Amino acid sequence: MQANMNRSGFISQELFQLLEEIGTIKKIEKNTYLFQEGMEANELYLIKSGMVHLHHLTMEGRELTLRICKQHDLIGELILFAEHAKYILSAKVIADGEVLMIQKDQLERRLSSDGKLTFEFMKWYSDHVRNIQSKQKDLLLNGRKGALYSTLIRLANSYGVEHRDGILIDMLLTNQNLADFCACTRESMNRMLIELRKQGILSYNHSGKIVIHDIDFLRQRNGCDSCPIEKCSIN
């Protein structure tokens, strides 16, 4: 298990440098929004510090969490090369920090004039979209219990640190937070977590953080492929 995996490797150094070159620093504060679903989309954001929660509002009015993003993650990327683009997700700040704000049209011009950078971006973008599709597949094919198992595995890959009793997910998560990843009610999530605790699959430490004792159980129940950690993340 890799502890606190550095996500900057997802974007090539050349592309990372371009984003830093054309971006403008913007401070972000907890409980504010970088953008909301349906707004005109003119900027992308590269997170320098802090954390951002990306979610979609379902037809039933339920919030479905798709990503929790941290340092070096790029958000708003789905708007590139789309005319009259609108954001299809909402981005809520959950920890203070800074982002690089990148103008959509400026990045498009730079990519269009540099074939190598365009290739690097498309390669990253393709992997990123596959990751999103994989999360959706877990929810659709494995049901809510399978969605929980998948979410715990992805959280362990993105925020897990080695612990004497297994893997510690090094962030505080409420049962509602987990329910939002799985499109279920908090009550349903409570029942599933109680079951996993009774089976000894997970527990909580003194700070209320989840410790996974048997991640192989979660992988086996979901029929996980042996994919690299970077392709099975929550970011």
Side-chain angles (χ1 to χ4, degrees):
M1 171 61 61
Q2 295 179 0
N4 289 332
M5 183 177 58
N6 187 336
R7 302 276 299 167
S8 63
F10 270 22
I11 299 176
S12 71
Q13 189 62 33
E14 293 84 0
L15 183 56
F16 189 81
Q17 288 173 350
L18 169 62
L19 297 177
E20 289 204 309
E21 177 187 333
I22 65 177
T24 303
I25 290 288
K26 174 185 174 74
K27 290 189 178 298
I28 54 175
E29 296 181 355
K30 185 177 179 179
N31 293 326
T32 61
Y33 283 84
L34 284 175
F35 51 81
Q36 290 183 278
E37 193 172 342
M39 288 176 54
E40 293 286 338
N42 298 309
E43 295 92 21
L44 298 81
Y45 300 88
L46 180 70
I47 300 176
K48 301 282 285 182
S49 59
M51 296 180 70
V52 177
H53 164 260
L54 290 184
H55 64 270
H56 166 67
L57 199 63
T58 68
M59 292 182 65
E60 297 79 21
R62 183 172 292 154
E63 191 176 285
L64 175 62
T65 298
L66 294 176
R67 297 171 64 194
I68 295 179
C69 304
K70 58 181 179 178
Q71 185 181 36
H72 296 142
D73 282 327
L74 183 64
I75 59 178
E77 70 290 340
L78 299 176
I79 68 173
L80 275 186
F81 299 107
E83 292 187 11
H84 313 297
K86 294 183 182 295
Y87 293 113
I88 62 173
L89 302 172
S90 296
K92 185 177 182 180
V93 179
I94 57 175
D96 295 349
E98 290 185 338
V99 295
L100 275 176
M101 185 171 65
I102 300 137
Q103 295 298 318
K104 171 182 179 287
D105 56 355
Q106 189 175 5
L107 179 56
E108 287 174 345
R109 285 196 300 270
R110 293 293 294 269
L111 290 176
S112 297
S113 64
D114 190 319
K116 181 180 178 183
L117 282 178
T118 300
F119 174 78
E120 293 288 351
F121 180 83
M122 294 307 296
K123 181 180 176 183
W124 171 83
Y125 182 81
S126 177
D127 287 342
H128 176 59
V129 169
R130 279 200 297 270
N131 193 0
I132 293 174
Q133 290 173 335
S134 176
K135 293 178 196 175
Q136 294 171 335
K137 182 191 74 174
D138 289 340
L139 180 57
L140 292 172
L141 298 184
N142 296 323
R144 290 171 181 170
K145 187 175 287 188
L148 171 59
Y149 296 172
S150 171
T151 297
L152 291 171
I153 292 167
R154 292 173 186 278
L155 285 165
N157 287 342
S158 295
Y159 296 97
V161 295
E162 292 187 7
H163 185 274
R164 64 180 180 275
D165 296 321
I167 301 167
L168 170 70
I169 298 176
D170 196 19
M171 65 183 304
L172 280 173
L173 294 158
T174 66
N175 288 7
Q176 185 62 59
N177 293 149
L178 291 170
D180 291 340
F181 274 110
C182 304
C184 69
T185 64
R186 183 169 56 83
E187 291 74 20
S188 294
M189 181 56 61
N190 292 347
R191 289 192 292 271
M192 290 189 289
L193 290 171
I194 288 171
E195 181 181 347
L196 290 176
R197 291 177 71 179
K198 286 181 177 178
Q199 293 175 293
I201 306 303
L202 60 78
S203 64
Y204 292 84
N205 72 358
H206 64 281
S207 300
K209 296 178 181 179
I210 295 173
V211 179
I212 301 176
H213 304 297
D214 190 354
I215 198 164
D216 286 337
F217 171 91
L218 304 177
R219 290 173 176 154
Q220 290 166 7
R221 289 298 186 277
N222 261 21
C224 285
D225 298 324
S226 300
C227 56
I229 286 178
E230 61 269 16
K231 295 188 182 297
C232 184
S233 67
I234 210 71
N235 305 84

